[in-house]
Amino acid sequence: MASVFLFHVVGDLTVGKPEMVELCETETMEAAIKAIGESMECGIPVWKKKSHVGMVENDEMRQQRFVGILNSLDIVAFFAKSECLEDHDKALKTPVSDVVVPNNSLLRQVDPATRLIDALEMMKHGVKRLLVRKSVVWKGMSKRFSVIYSGKWLKNMDTSGSSNSLAANRPSSSSATSTRDKFCCLSREDVIRFLIGCLGALAPIPLSSISSLGAINTNYQFVEASSAAIEATHKLPEDPSAVAVVEHTLEDQYKIIGEISASKLWKCDYLAAAWALANLSAGQFVMGVEDNASSRSLPDISINQTAGNNNVANGGGSTKLKKFSSRSIGFSPASASLGVSRSMYRGRSAPLTCKVTSSLAAVMAQMLSHRATHVWVTEDESDDILVGVVGYADIMAAVTKQPAPIIPAPGRSTEGNEIHN
């Protein structure tokens, strides 16, 4: 087991993390869209209201208030329902509790002193968020990693001063009380970002291929490009929240051309994306449809939008009418014909892929640089033939895997000396 897992704790990852702002299940979908747009993740935790304002909660009470995680794909799928397309205003005023999928096991509250290896074990088995209490001073945080989050060494970790300076850095009882009920939320992306900063301590695992590490998940969900895009919402996996859009080849293989996922739809125009999801094929949805595409004329519908990126679907303020455009889905426009080579669809609509021979470090870097929750895996000889997907849980399982025992060669002792009769 790598020492980084044993000698680092969850508190080491909380430096610079903002205080969590609870999204209540009684809030509207419009408020949820605004919250997810301001969030650092494509999914946000949803909570029940406190029974009494100002009440002091214990860990169990706080855990019981957690409902589940609402992501951008859940929002688009909800708005794609016929009743929501007919009445946008009513859909935007729908309470979050009607949309979020209840799952109390997706979040766990942990102490800042929890070992990193224990946090990884939780996340490997389905926990997506760790709720950690914030404090003025976290004594367990090492100088080495504080720079990753704050950009400078923390003053309260300066050990070169006298005992008086250490006493000055110790939080007062009043400041400790003020942070008693303040928490931050750690995601699996936070953990991966932390691990990529200490790849040397994980050697040789980071340079090993994802195939040799068994990190490729072959139980992925997919929908054919010619099928209705709305079919993707009927088979949404929990982790990662993504469905591959594929074309069936003559060799009975599947070629990936795009994806319908929470990370791709993060901060998109949710109303426009919902209309496209309900009315276009999966191939047209992920590739984008040109405004003047002759193969599929788009209706002259209007949706409420504000200028720029501040449309009401993204939680903006004032509104004005704007005709539907495929650009508002968030993908680069391309030909609607599915017979065109995939090379024409490079851009925002192209799925993030790697090879079966790609190293684990390379896949981790891809996910972090693209703010993605997963990477699709293709054959080594082809850029398109899909074989699986690598997600957060797969990476955490790989980095914590025990190395295979070294079996001495026949005829030699464990010290490597020849055995003489």
Side-chain angles (χ1 to χ4, degrees):
M1 183 65 65
S3 60
V4 67
F5 298 137
L6 302 176
F7 300 118
H8 284 281
V9 293
V10 170
D12 292 345
L13 282 69
T14 61
V15 181
K17 289 290 291 183
E19 180 185 346
M20 184 192 68
V21 179
E22 292 188 1
L23 176 70
C24 183
E25 63 175 354
T26 57
E27 294 279 359
T28 65
M29 288 301 295
E30 186 173 358
I33 290 171
K34 182 177 180 180
I36 203 171
E38 296 171 349
S39 171
M40 297 300 293
E41 310 287 339
C42 60
I44 49 175
V46 177
W47 301 80
K48 296 178 183 177
K49 272 187 176 180
K50 291 183 179 180
S51 55
H52 301 289
V53 178
M55 68 175 294
V56 178
E57 295 180 304
N58 57 33
D59 294 354
E60 184 178 353
M61 294 168 62
R62 191 174 296 104
Q63 181 69 47
Q64 291 302 315
R65 282 202 304 113
F66 173 69
V67 178
I69 295 178
L70 180 72
N71 65 45
S72 51
L73 185 51
D74 296 329
I75 296 174
V76 173
F78 169 72
F79 285 139
K81 295 180 178 180
S82 57
E83 59 269 26
C84 295
L85 293 174
E86 292 171 1
D87 191 342
H88 290 158
D89 291 336
K90 182 179 178 181
L92 289 168
K93 290 179 173 60
T94 302
V96 171
S97 58
D98 290 355
V99 181
V100 64
V101 178
N103 190 342
N104 187 261
S105 65
L106 296 180
L107 177 142
R108 281 290 177 269
Q109 182 175 340
V110 297
D111 189 88
T114 302
R115 294 187 309 170
L116 183 56
I117 184 61
D118 297 326
L120 283 169
E121 286 298 321
M122 288 184 234
M123 289 184 161
K124 278 165 52 178
H125 295 93
V127 175
K128 294 185 178 181
R129 298 286 194 279
L130 294 177
L131 189 64
V132 188
R133 188 183 301 276
K134 289 183 70 70
S135 58
V136 176
V137 180
W138 166 237
K139 296 297 183 183
M141 200 276 302
S142 66
K143 268 191 174 184
R144 178 184 175 191
F145 294 103
S146 65
V147 71
I148 296 177
Y149 295 94
S150 63
K152 58 184 178 181
W153 302 121
L154 298 184
K155 293 181 180 180
N156 58 25
M157 295 306 298
D158 185 5
T159 57
S160 61
S162 63
S163 58
N164 290 335
S165 66
L166 290 175
N169 285 325
R170 190 174 296 116
S172 64
S173 59
S174 60
S175 62
T177 303
S178 65
T179 60
R180 183 178 56 190
D181 289 325
K182 292 183 179 180
F183 294 84
C184 64
C185 230
L186 286 181
S187 68
R188 293 178 296 179
E189 181 182 343
D190 293 321
V191 176
I192 299 298
R193 185 180 294 110
F194 183 87
L195 293 180
I196 208 169
C198 45
L199 292 179
L202 303 176
I205 291 176
L207 295 181
S208 303
S209 70
I210 54 176
S211 177
S212 65
L213 293 171
I216 303 174
N217 181 7
T218 57
N219 296 319
Y220 58 88
Q221 295 291 340
F222 67 90
V223 60
E224 295 207 28
S226 57
S227 302
I230 196 67
E231 286 189 16
T233 64
H234 302 154
K235 51 178 69 176
L236 287 180
E238 289 187 1
D239 190 29
S241 183
V243 177
V245 178
V246 301
E247 288 180 337
H248 203 175
T249 68
L250 296 176
E251 294 78 20
D252 201 28
Q253 295 175 311
Y254 290 103
K255 182 167 63 174
I256 185 168
I257 63 171
E259 67 174 57
I260 300 175
S261 66
S263 56
K264 277 284 187 182
L265 294 171
W266 186 23
K267 299 185 180 181
C268 72
D269 183 325
Y270 292 97
L271 296 181
W275 183 93
L277 192 69
N279 291 277
L280 304 180
S281 70
Q284 290 171 329
F285 182 86
V286 300
M287 295 170 188
V289 181
E290 291 183 353
D291 297 329
N292 58 355
S294 58
S295 60
R296 180 71 183 258
S297 59
L298 299 176
D300 222 12
I301 67 170
S302 295
I303 57 177
N304 288 334
Q305 278 190 320
T306 63
N309 294 325
N310 297 321
N311 56 65
V312 69
N314 285 322
S318 60
T319 64
K320 71 175 183 179
L321 295 178
K322 181 180 178 182
K323 292 182 180 179
F324 173 81
S325 168
S326 60
R327 290 181 178 86
S328 60
I329 302 176
F331 296 141
S332 299
S335 172
S337 172
L338 299 182
V340 185
S341 170
R342 177 174 172 259
S343 62
M344 294 187 64
Y345 307 127
R346 298 296 181 185
R348 291 184 64 184
S349 61
L352 189 62
T353 62
C354 67
K355 304 285 189 181
V356 292
T357 53
S358 297
S359 69
L360 185 67
V363 173
M364 292 167 67
Q366 271 186 289
M367 293 174 68
L368 292 178
S369 61
H370 290 270
R371 301 300 308 279
T373 59
H374 58 280
V375 179
W376 300 102
V377 185
T378 60
E379 288 184 353
D380 194 32
E381 300 81 11
S382 170
D383 291 334
D384 302 319
I385 303 304
L386 184 62
V387 297
V389 66
V390 177
Y392 288 133
D394 305 307
I395 291 177
M396 292 177 183
V399 297
T400 56
K401 183 177 293 185
Q402 294 288 351
I406 300 176
I407 303 176
R412 292 184 177 272
S413 66
T414 54
E415 289 81 13
N417 299 322
E418 291 187 359
I419 300 174
H420 298 281
N421 293 327

